[in-house]
Amino acid sequence: MNLKTFAGGLHPPDSKHYSANKPIERCPLPDELVIPPAQHIGAPAEICINVGDQVKKGQVIATAKGFVSVPVHASTSGMVVAIEPRLHPMGKPLPAVVIKPDGKDQWEDSLQQHDPDQLNADELKKLICAAGIVGMGGATFPAHVKLSPPEGKKIDTLILNGVECEPFLTADHRMMLEESERIIDGINILRKILGLETAIIGIEVNKPDAIEKLTRDCAPHGIQVQPLKVQYPQGAEKQLIDACTGRQVPTGGLPMDCGVVVQNVGTCAAISDTIRLGRPLVERVATVTGPGIREPKNLLIAIGTSLQHMLDQCGGLDGEPAKIIMGGPMMGQTQLSLQVPAIRGTSGLLIFREQDLPRKNFGPCIRCGRCVSVCPIHLQPTTIAAYARLDMIDEAENNNALDCIECGCCTYICPATLPLVQSIRHIKGSILAKRRKI
Ligand code: SF4
Ligand code: SF4
């Protein structure tokens, strides 16, 4: 079969066998939940409760600050025992609300159920914003912002991201198998908000059971399922749009510039819960996996659960950990501690032992061009990284460093094991800092 995909990228071993057949399991509540107000792209929410307060599940504990921001909610009922800096997945201590669960897991009384047919697009968007819904593939961009294109910007296609192209991760795969009804309901709500019919779910062919199930379940709703070639980073928005529609997002542009809105399948399920049940985003599915974990699983966790507690539900460590990653191995964030809390964008926890990591022998660039051939954005990674090492900010900017999506393909393929994406990430920070000063 001639499967659709995008130009560039690569196909690392997907290693999904550890957890692909493990049904989603609810993770018991830990002794404390650590909930930071900084969990999304945009302005962090502002804490609005005090130490000693009793809170209920779904109660707002931090309010949105501006349009590109969302509120944050208590993930269970209990008492606020501290508001203090705690180690954040970003790698530094940030303010957090610490809740001691009371064991009742009682929802806030004021949460209201709605019939989406009785609400207009603006009312639906307001509820999605108030529920703190963000992109759950890991990007954590507030969903209501994507659903609010500027006047005159015509959106004709909704693409649902069921690709899960990062190796090891299987949370979206299990969601598609076990929660198709909620996903489809969320898609129909999004279609109503955007006023469009065309909805396409992109799924890579290494998930044939999900393709089969969603093709069957989506048919009565007129939602297309698009099987895609297995290729990383197909889950990135621009690559997914290219693969599903052949449209190109312009340099520096957004999906809406080519008439498309992209949402993750997990986000769709959360939107259904928000509208139908009145439930804010207080839990998510995350894959706990890797050769360093005794019993890999897909866990439904309360936001704020520590990585250590998630690991404990999976039989603990199988050997000495050498690398802990939140998210996938290509774009995830390396963690220094298992005490870090899982947040809304936590799609997985990966643990590798020393023997699982590739041997690294750094060498000079041999001008092989492999980094250029795999770059899905068609950049010159070796050139930009060279400018980055010399701190030549303007030259890096002129070579479109800001377009880099930090997919890690160049680093992965480089035979000299040069830390290309790390250098490019660094120079991107310098370019943005320089722009802020001007
Ligand atoms: S330069 Fe950026 S976008 Fe291109 S392969 Fe490297 S990390 Fe990916
Ligand atoms: S892949 Fe590595 S060695 Fe080859 S051109 Fe790129 S930076 Fe140089």
Side-chain angles (χ1 to χ4, degrees), residues 104-132:
K104 297 179 190 156
D105 207 29
Q106 215 171 15
W107 284 99
E108 161 76 7
D109 306 317
S110 63
L111 300 177
Q112 279 182 18
Q113 303 181 356
H114 293 93
D115 176 354
D117 293 338
Q118 303 303 317
L119 300 174
N120 65 33
D122 284 339
E123 289 166 332
L124 290 166
K125 274 191 278 185
K126 269 188 198 145
L127 289 172
I128 288 169
C129 176

Side-chain angles (χ1 to χ4, degrees), residues 325-389:
I325 301 175
M326 183 180 280
M330 300 293 284
M331 291 183 85
Q333 289 165 308
T334 302
Q335 301 296 320
L336 301 174
S337 165
L338 285 164
Q339 297 315 313
V340 164
I343 55 177
R344 287 168 170 171
T346 303
S347 50
L349 164 63
L350 261 71
I351 298 189
F352 296 103
R353 304 159 300 185
E354 199 62 52
Q355 64 265 38
D356 308 315
L357 297 171
R359 295 270 167 265
K360 296 252 175 187
N361 293 311
F362 292 104
C365 172
I366 56 168
R367 317 297 295 172
C368 67
R370 287 187 215 173
C371 56
V372 178
S373 65
V374 297
C375 178
I377 309 295
H378 315 298
L379 300 174
Q380 307 264 354
T382 181
T383 308
I384 302 172
Y387 285 134
R389 282 194 294 277

